[in-house]
């Protein structure tokens, strides 16, 4: 055991004295030390129940012969951080989480880890740490929120976001807005649609790092506590067998995750996180690979915001494994990949049929023959950009219109609220990329306002920033190079024609090349004065098309 170098022999008596100061018995010190990385806090709804999950994990570890020891990871609630300076601090926490987990683990000589995340950046941050540390590791999340109910229908976080746009457009009353406010998010858990948190939690199952149900069992179900106990037991089995994270997080496992991503219609943020996780695994996962997988992977689910089904319904339909069972019928998965359960993916999904074809389409009858995410390139994004194709209205899959240009989210939001955006427009929001933001803010408020005002089938939005998993519509993000790095998006002018062709994977600024060359010759990107962590982050971060990894 790794911890033996801290625990055994006379020279380590000082270490053992400190273990005894923790109240650990000699029996506990002699066992494998299992770090339980808890993302619990009292400000994130998806994390307020993690104390109970952690206690269940500890019990499972102890029952299986290990000594569980808890240490923390931070978390930002993207919903609360949305639309103000706070959103600059969301994506950047992914690397803080990975770095601090590395520091705590290596400083204290843990033999294994159980990661207990739930929301947007905690799951990828801890997956990055797991790959970097390469110890026996199991993931168990806090689980998804149950859907809300308004007017007899289910609702999710995107419902309240779009209700604000409806209210501003005079389509609903203040009383109805308050009803959405109080009923949209009825329980603890990660927001109830296929947003970023649930996307990444589902992908822990696809890549073999989480047990069955980790992505879909609702936070308030007692089955979630049972899962946590089994996660504690499973990590001890990995310790005994000597199975470490990178033995599970192989290139093939990451390809499985990308394939399931396309079938589920996951958040575009997965296109930031999967390359960053792959980088820590020593695997290259670029956007070209994503398009190749998308072209052969059918989209089987239209979960909110793309449709009117929710994570609790996906769980009832058989969960992630049922989706993978469907995909295996076309030979789209590497079924021999190992999982933290000790069984292969093929063995895990064999007895998990699709129980509800209205939630998970059969592979013979998909929503589309291609995956939920598309990567677009062109003169506006020569290094790539990303769109959630499965959440785009059919009439907007190809769109050409005049640019409405804004240097930041706030400018754009004011124009949308004031009714200055018209059918056919292409809203351009720049200087929101990883460097230019800095921090690559999510543009949920502008996209929700456009939807709420009834412009979702006629207005597109492009940005060097990114989108919430709650975003739907013709919204193209991660444009690379970004404006702050000298990208062409920085010289788009009001009224320029932009053409977006999602099936053709292209995004073009239709301006004469000689004119563009002249503009670029005189272009000096704007710079923002930032301090502290954001300043360090901006100096190190790569473009969105590369996973916003730190160089």
């Amino acid at each position: 055991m790794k911890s033996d170098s801290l625990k055994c022999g006379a020279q380590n008596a000082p270490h053992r004295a400190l273990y005894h100061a923790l109240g650990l018995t000699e029996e506990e010190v002699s066992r494998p030390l299992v770090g339980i990385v808890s993302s619990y806090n009292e400000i994130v709804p998806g994390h307020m129940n993690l104390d109970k999950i952690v206690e269940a994990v500890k019990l499972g570890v102890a029952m299986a012969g290990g000594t569980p020891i808890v240490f923390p990871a931070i978390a930002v609630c993207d919903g609360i951080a949305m639309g103000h300076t706070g959103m600059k601090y969301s994506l950047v926490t992914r690397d803080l989480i990975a770095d601090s987990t590395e520091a705590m683990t290596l400083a204290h000589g843990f033999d294994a880890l159980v990661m207990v995340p739930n929301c947007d950046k905690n799951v990828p941050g801890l997956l990055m740490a797991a790959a970097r540390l390469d110890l026996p590791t199991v993931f168990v999340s806090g689980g998804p929120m149950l859907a809300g109910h308004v007017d007899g229908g289910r609702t999710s976080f995107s419902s309240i976001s779009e209700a604000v746009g409806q209210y501003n457009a005079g389509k609903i009353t203040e009383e109805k807005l308050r009803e959405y406010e109080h009923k949209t998010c009825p329980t603890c858990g990660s927001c109830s649609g296929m947003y970023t948190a649930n996307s990444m939690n589902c992908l822990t199952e696809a890549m073999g790092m989480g047990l069955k149900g980790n992505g879909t069992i609702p936070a308030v179900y007692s089955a979630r506590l049972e899962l946590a106990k089994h996660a504690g037991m499973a990590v001890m089995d990995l310790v005994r067998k000597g199975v470490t994270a990178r033995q599970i997080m192989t290139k093939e496992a990451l390809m499985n995750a990308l394939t399931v991503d396309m079938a589920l219609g996951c958040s575009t943020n997965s296109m930031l996180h999967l390359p960053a996780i792959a980088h820590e695994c020593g695997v290259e996962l670029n956007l070209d690979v994503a398009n190749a997988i998308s072209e052969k992977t059918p989209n089987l689910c239209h979960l909110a915001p793309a449709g009117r089904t929710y994570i609790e319904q996906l769980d009832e339909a058989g969960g992630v494994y049922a989706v993978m069972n469907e995909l295996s019928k076309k030979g789209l998965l590497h079924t021999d990949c190992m999982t933290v359960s000790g069984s292969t993916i093929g063995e895990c999904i064999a007895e998990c049929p699709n129980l509800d074809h209205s939630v998970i389409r059969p592979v013979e009858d998909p929503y589309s023959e291609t995956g939920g995410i598309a990567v677009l390139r062109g003169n506006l994004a020569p290094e790539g950009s990303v769109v959630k194709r499965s959440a785009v209205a059919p009439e907007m899959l190809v769109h050409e219109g005049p640019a409405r240009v804004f240097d930041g989210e706030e400018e754009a939001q004011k124009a949308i609220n004031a009714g200055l955006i018209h059918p056919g427009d292409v809203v351009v929001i720049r200087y929101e990329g990883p460097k230019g933001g800095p921090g690559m803010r999510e543009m949920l408020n502008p996209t929700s306002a456009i939807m709420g005002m009834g412009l979702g089938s006629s207005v597109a939005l492009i940005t060097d920033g990114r989108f919430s998993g709650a975003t739907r519509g013709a919204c193209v993000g991660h444009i690379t190079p970004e404006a702050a790095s000298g990208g062409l998006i920085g010289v788009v002018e009001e009224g320029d024609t932009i053409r977006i062709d999602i099936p053709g994977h292209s995004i073009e600024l239709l301006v004469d090349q000689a004119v563009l060359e002249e503009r670029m010759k005189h272009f000096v990107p704007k710079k923002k004065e930032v301090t502290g962590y954001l300043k360090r982050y901006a100096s190190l971060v790569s473009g969105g098309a590369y996973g916003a990894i730190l160089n």
Side-chain angles (χ1 to χ4, degrees):
M1 294 187 297
K2 286 184 178 292
S3 63
D4 283 350
S5 63
L6 282 75
K7 298 187 304 189
C8 299
Q11 73 278 8
N12 284 321
H15 294 150
R16 292 195 297 274
L18 293 170
Y19 290 138
H20 294 312
L22 293 170
L24 297 180
T25 65
E26 290 187 6
E27 291 83 357
E28 288 174 303
V29 173
S30 69
R31 296 171 183 168
L33 302 184
V34 180
I36 315 297
V37 188
S38 171
S39 302
Y40 169 77
N41 63 48
E42 295 183 341
I43 187 61
V44 183
H47 292 223
M48 62 181 286
N49 66 319
L50 294 190
D51 55 342
K52 295 178 176 62
I53 302 295
V54 166
E55 288 303 314
V57 171
K58 288 173 65 178
L59 193 56
V61 169
M63 285 193 293
T67 298
I69 302 175
V70 179
F71 66 88
I74 63 169
V76 165
C77 176
D78 277 24
I80 294 175
M82 194 72 66
H84 59 96
T85 300
M87 182 47 69
K88 295 178 185 288
Y89 287 90
S90 174
L91 179 61
V92 305
T93 64
R94 185 186 70 182
D95 296 276
L96 283 175
I97 291 162
D99 292 348
S100 60
T101 301
E102 174 192 359
M104 287 292 290
T105 300
L106 295 181
H108 300 106
F110 288 108
D111 298 300
L113 297 168
V114 179
M115 307 296 200
V116 188
N118 209 24
C119 289
D120 297 28
K121 309 310 166 302
N122 301 82
V123 187
L126 291 178
L127 282 165
M128 290 164 66
R132 193 182 298 175
L133 293 162
D134 197 26
L135 293 171
T137 307
V138 177
F139 276 69
V140 57
S141 76
M145 184 183 291
L146 293 179
H149 292 83
V150 175
D151 296 333
R154 286 185 171 95
T155 61
S156 59
F157 187 69
S158 53
S159 306
I160 180 61
S161 299
E162 293 180 16
V164 174
Q166 293 173 317
Y167 173 74
N168 288 335
K171 295 185 175 184
I172 62 172
T173 63
E174 184 176 357
E175 183 181 9
K176 178 57 71 174
L177 179 63
R178 285 185 62 80
E179 183 181 359
Y180 274 101
E181 178 184 333
H182 287 282
K183 293 183 177 180
T184 293
C185 300
T187 70
C188 62
S190 48
C191 297
S192 56
M194 188 52 78
Y195 308 144
T196 306
N198 290 326
S199 294
M200 296 308 302
N201 280 322
C202 286
L203 296 185
T204 63
E205 292 188 57
M207 68 178 71
M209 291 298 291
L211 296 172
K212 177 188 176 185
N214 185 49
T216 59
I217 297 172
V220 295
Y221 284 12
S222 296
R224 175 64 55 180
L225 298 176
E226 294 181 36
L227 180 72
K229 292 173 187 175
H230 284 128
M233 297 177 199
V235 80
M236 291 307 301
D237 194 40
L238 296 180
V239 170
R240 284 187 286 271
K241 294 176 179 176
V243 178
T244 63
R246 284 208 296 270
Q247 291 174 261
I248 294 172
M249 298 167 72
T250 61
K251 181 177 181 179
E252 291 74 20
L254 289 162
M255 293 302 107
N256 281 347
L258 194 50
T259 299
V260 173
D261 185 320
M262 298 301 172
L264 284 172
C266 289
S267 163
T268 52
N269 282 315
S270 63
M271 292 296 98
L272 281 174
H273 301 322
L274 285 175
I277 295 161
H279 176 74
E280 297 289 352
C281 293
V283 174
E284 183 180 357
L285 197 164
N286 60 40
L287 295 187
D288 293 324
V289 172
N291 254 1
I293 289 180
S294 182
E295 285 306 299
K296 65 181 182 181
T297 304
N299 178 226
L300 304 182
C301 298
H302 268 191
L303 296 145
R308 295 188 177 277
T309 51
Y310 296 82
I311 302 297
E312 64 199 70
Q313 293 166 279
L314 177 61
D315 187 63
E316 292 164 5
V320 175
Y321 279 4
V323 175
M324 296 177 78
N325 187 309
E326 290 288 348
L327 293 172
S328 69
K329 296 174 184 176
K330 289 189 70 173
L332 294 173
L333 298 173
H334 299 278
T335 54
D336 56 347
C337 287
M338 186 53 61
T339 74
V340 293
S341 71
S343 300
T344 65
I345 285 289
E347 291 166 339
C348 287
I349 67 176
E351 303 302 320
C352 297
N354 180 358
L355 302 176
D356 189 340
H357 291 183
S358 69
V359 177
I360 305 170
R361 287 279 187 92
V363 74
E364 304 84 8
D365 182 31
Y367 283 102
S368 68
E369 294 291 344
T370 53
I373 289 176
V375 174
L376 313 185
R377 295 183 188 270
N379 66 352
L380 260 179
E383 296 172 28
S385 61
V386 180
V387 62
K388 190 170 184 175
R389 172 166 47 188
S390 60
V392 178
E395 59 269 32
M396 289 297 290
L397 289 170
V398 178
H399 180 77
E400 186 174 308
R404 306 299 307 282
V405 185
F406 304 96
D407 289 346
E409 177 188 3
E410 288 82 1
E411 280 188 23
Q413 190 69 46
K414 287 178 184 176
I416 296 166
N417 291 346
L420 301 178
I421 303 302
H422 309 293
D425 287 348
V426 179
V427 176
V428 179
I429 305 179
R430 61 194 180 193
Y431 293 104
E432 291 288 3
K435 286 184 180 293
M440 205 178 188
R441 288 194 292 179
E442 291 181 340
M443 302 292 111
L444 177 59
N445 286 352
T447 59
S448 295
I450 287 169
M451 280 291 173
M453 291 179 170
L455 297 171
S457 60
S458 61
V459 169
L461 189 151
I462 71 172
T463 181
D464 52 10
R466 61 194 179 96
F467 297 111
S468 163
T471 290
R472 61 190 177 104
C475 302
V476 183
H478 309 193
I479 286 180
T480 310
E482 61 180 286
S485 296
L488 192 68
I489 190 174
V491 299
V492 178
E493 295 184 359
E494 190 82 4
D496 285 349
T497 300
I498 293 174
R499 179 176 172 81
I500 300 166
D501 182 352
I502 296 173
H505 301 134
S506 70
I507 179 166
E508 297 282 343
L509 178 60
L510 302 182
V511 174
D512 183 82
Q513 184 62 29
V515 173
L516 293 180
E517 289 175 2
E518 186 65 19
R519 289 185 192 175
M520 290 298 289
K521 191 186 303 182
H522 302 286
F523 175 41
V524 178
K526 295 181 179 180
K527 290 188 176 181
K528 297 175 184 176
E529 290 298 321
V530 291
T531 59
Y533 181 56
L534 287 182
K535 183 175 183 179
R536 296 199 303 276
Y537 183 86
S539 70
L540 297 172
V541 71
S542 68
Y546 304 102
I549 61 173
L550 299 185
N551 293 314

